[in-house]
Amino acid sequence: MKHKLVFATNNKHKLEEVAAILKDKVELLSLNDIHCFTDIPETAETLEGNALLKSSYIYENFQLDCFADDTGLEVEALNGAPGVLSARFAGGEGHDAEANMLKLLSEMEGKENRKAQFRTAISLILNGETYLFEGIIEGEIIKEKRGTSGFGYDPIFIPKGYNETFAELGNEIKNKISHRALAVNQLCEFLNSL
């Protein structure tokens, strides 16, 4: 039997990406599908904490099995920043990907060490039990934006073993190798094992 799960995100890019990775393995519901229009606060100090805040909110208020993710870009030369603040790195209201990238590139000026990793934490609540999954992909930050697909920091991140940014590789390749794909695949394997 196919699991019905709410994906607790308001980010349409994430929703499309996860739907493409899951294909037909799960009946995926969005927050719109369950008439949840709340912007669930992400006030935890860790990715895992934020993912848990979002999934707990849905489970407690809608009594539906659900999962949520939080993703951060962790740059070695910046002591792991922007990390949990990745979506709000440049400050201000909302998630301004362009401003976030420009701030990161500015902070990386003159730094030789360009190593970075994307990390995704997923919190699944199934029948009242909580499970955590994690996906990490290492790579490096380049000095200027390249490519037009993807979202967030994709135009300035080259995954290890590749010569192109996530934004140049395109969604099909990204959805096979990304941090989110790795975490979502762990989620799928877990659901298939039940």
Side-chain angles (χ1 to χ4, degrees), residues 2 4 19 31 34 44 58 62 76 79 83 90 144 155 168 184 191:
K2 202 190 290 191
K4 185 186 282 194
L31 292 179
I34 63 166
I58 297 304
F62 294 87
E76 197 171 280
N79 298 317
E144 56 192 36
E168 292 173 302
V184 170
L191 293 171

Side-chain angles (χ1 to χ4, degrees), residues 38 41 43 56-57 60 81 84-85 103 123 137 141 146 156 192:
T38 306
T43 54
S56 297
Y57 180 89
E60 287 162 13
V84 75
L85 299 174
K103 179 175 180 181
S123 166
I137 185 157
I141 302 298
R146 293 191 341 220
I156 60 171
N192 290 338

Side-chain angles (χ1 to χ4, degrees), residues 2-51:
K2 202 190 290 191
H3 293 276
K4 185 186 282 194
L5 289 175
V6 176
F7 181 23
T9 185
N10 285 312
N11 183 322
K12 70 179 180 63
H13 297 294
K14 276 188 187 182
L15 191 61
E16 288 166 5
E17 195 171 283
V18 168
I21 296 165
L22 286 171
K23 296 188 174 70
D24 60 354
K25 296 179 181 120
V26 168
E27 187 181 333
L28 194 63
L29 300 173
S30 69
L31 292 179
N32 276 346
D33 292 333
I34 63 166
H35 306 289
C36 175
F37 305 107
T38 306
D39 194 11
I40 305 165
E42 296 179 37
T43 54
E45 293 182 10
T46 63
L47 299 175
E48 294 82 359
N50 278 336

Side-chain angles (χ1 to χ4, degrees), residues 92-158:
E93 286 298 308
H95 305 251
D96 187 338
E98 189 67 23
N100 289 336
M101 269 190 289
L102 291 173
K103 179 175 180 181
L104 182 65
L105 290 173
S106 164
E107 294 204 7
M108 290 297 288
E109 270 180 38
K111 293 194 178 356
E112 291 296 311
N113 179 359
R114 311 292 294 185
K115 286 185 192 167
Q117 66 179 21
F118 268 118
R119 190 163 69 87
T120 292
I122 290 180
S123 166
L124 166 70
I125 300 182
L126 194 63
N127 304 319
E129 294 290 321
T130 303
Y131 306 89
L132 283 172
F133 307 93
E134 181 184 69
I136 294 174
I137 185 157
E138 296 177 345
E140 63 181 59
I141 302 298
I142 58 171
K143 295 182 177 173
E144 56 192 36
K145 297 187 314 180
R146 293 191 341 220
T148 56
S149 73
F151 63 99
Y153 296 92
D154 287 356
I156 60 171
F157 181 84
I158 295 182

Side-chain angles (χ1 to χ4, degrees), residues 159-173:
K160 199 173 187 176
Y162 291 81
N163 297 314
E164 295 174 298
T165 66
F166 269 159
E168 292 173 302
L169 287 170
N171 292 336
E172 194 173 325
I173 293 173

